[in-house]
Amino acid sequence: MGIIGNLSKEQLSSFNSNGFLVIESFYTLEEILEMRSRMVELLDGFDASSSASIFSTKNQQKLTDDYFFESAEKVSFFFEEKAFGDDGKLRQPKELSINKVGHALHEIDPIFKKFSCSEKISSIFCSLGYKRPVVIQSMYIFKQPGIGGEVVPHQDNSFLYTEPPSCTGLWLALEDATIINGCLWAIPGSHKNGLVRRFIRDDNGVHFDHCSPLYDQKEFVPLEVKAGTLIVIHGDLIHQSFENKSTTSRHALSLHVVDTDGFKWAKNNWIRRKTAPEPLYVS
């Protein structure tokens, strides 16, 4: 049976107008618990002494290393910037020190593959007109209490560029996301202004091709959501999140999807896969 789009005309209109769409109760709390429990198992099996790779959107050019590049087709673990003390040791248990796990959970881990490549996910992209969509990266984001780092204003197309642009982000709340614990913020309609800059990988590493514009924080609106809610994000939407200074975490699963039918993956993207990703469907 072929994939059928599951978004209504009203939802599509809202997405086209705002650049994002909030879908409540996309996955049940039982399904959310299955993903969270699986991540507990993955963290338990992770040897924290084997890697000290840090992820930061503020210092991305400086901190990007081979471990990061190779994570495109692996399940890799990245620490928060504030996870380590002056002595180079973790300030707290590894479970409270990890920034994210990525970038191929959707391919390698059976549990995350089940939810990342479900018919419900495919139906969204059918509604958006994708012909041969692929999940190009997946991230389990922890937004740890007290040290969960800021994610500066950005557009997903900057990092995962196709010609023409086709990236759409999916952000699934695995815990309630609030202003206090670092929910997403977005500028409604900002996707209509097009792509501002690109994140380039070349012989010298990675860098942006332009400086970041200054954004008026008054234009951002908070996207506070309950666990199980899915936020669909246009690739050109300006969005961000602030540090988590609360005592509660804000776990989320982030997926990014591009079309591969009539769209060309840019060779100077940071992701350079050795094997082609499997499509969600072909229409």
Side-chain angles (χ1 to χ4, degrees), residues 31-81:
E31 291 169 326
I32 295 301
L33 180 59
E34 188 175 355
M35 285 181 263
R36 292 190 59 191
S37 297
R38 176 55 181 153
M39 183 50 64
V40 170
E41 295 175 354
L42 291 175
L43 279 175
D44 186 57
F46 169 59
D47 180 4
S49 65
S50 66
S51 170
S53 189
I54 295 170
F55 181 79
S56 166
T57 63
K58 286 186 173 181
N59 300 307
Q60 203 156 3
Q61 293 169 234
K62 178 182 177 182
L63 295 173
T64 300
D65 54 15
D66 288 340
Y67 184 81
F68 181 86
F69 289 139
E70 292 169 1
S71 71
E73 295 178 89
K74 296 181 178 180
V75 175
S76 301
F77 299 77
F78 300 89
F79 290 99
E80 287 283 358
E81 270 193 287

Side-chain angles (χ1 to χ4, degrees), residues 161 163 198 201 264-272:
Y161 186 73
E163 300 171 355
R198 286 206 43 220
R201 178 179 175 182
K264 184 179 180 181
W265 181 253
K267 293 182 178 179
N268 57 359
N269 281 328
W270 80 265
I271 290 180
R272 297 180 181 177

Side-chain angles (χ1 to χ4, degrees), residues 125-141:
F125 290 95
C126 182
S127 293
L128 295 176
Y130 282 59
K131 301 298 184 183
R132 194 179 184 275
V134 301
V135 181
I136 199 64
Q137 75 171 19
S138 51
M139 299 178 287
Y140 189 110
I141 303 169

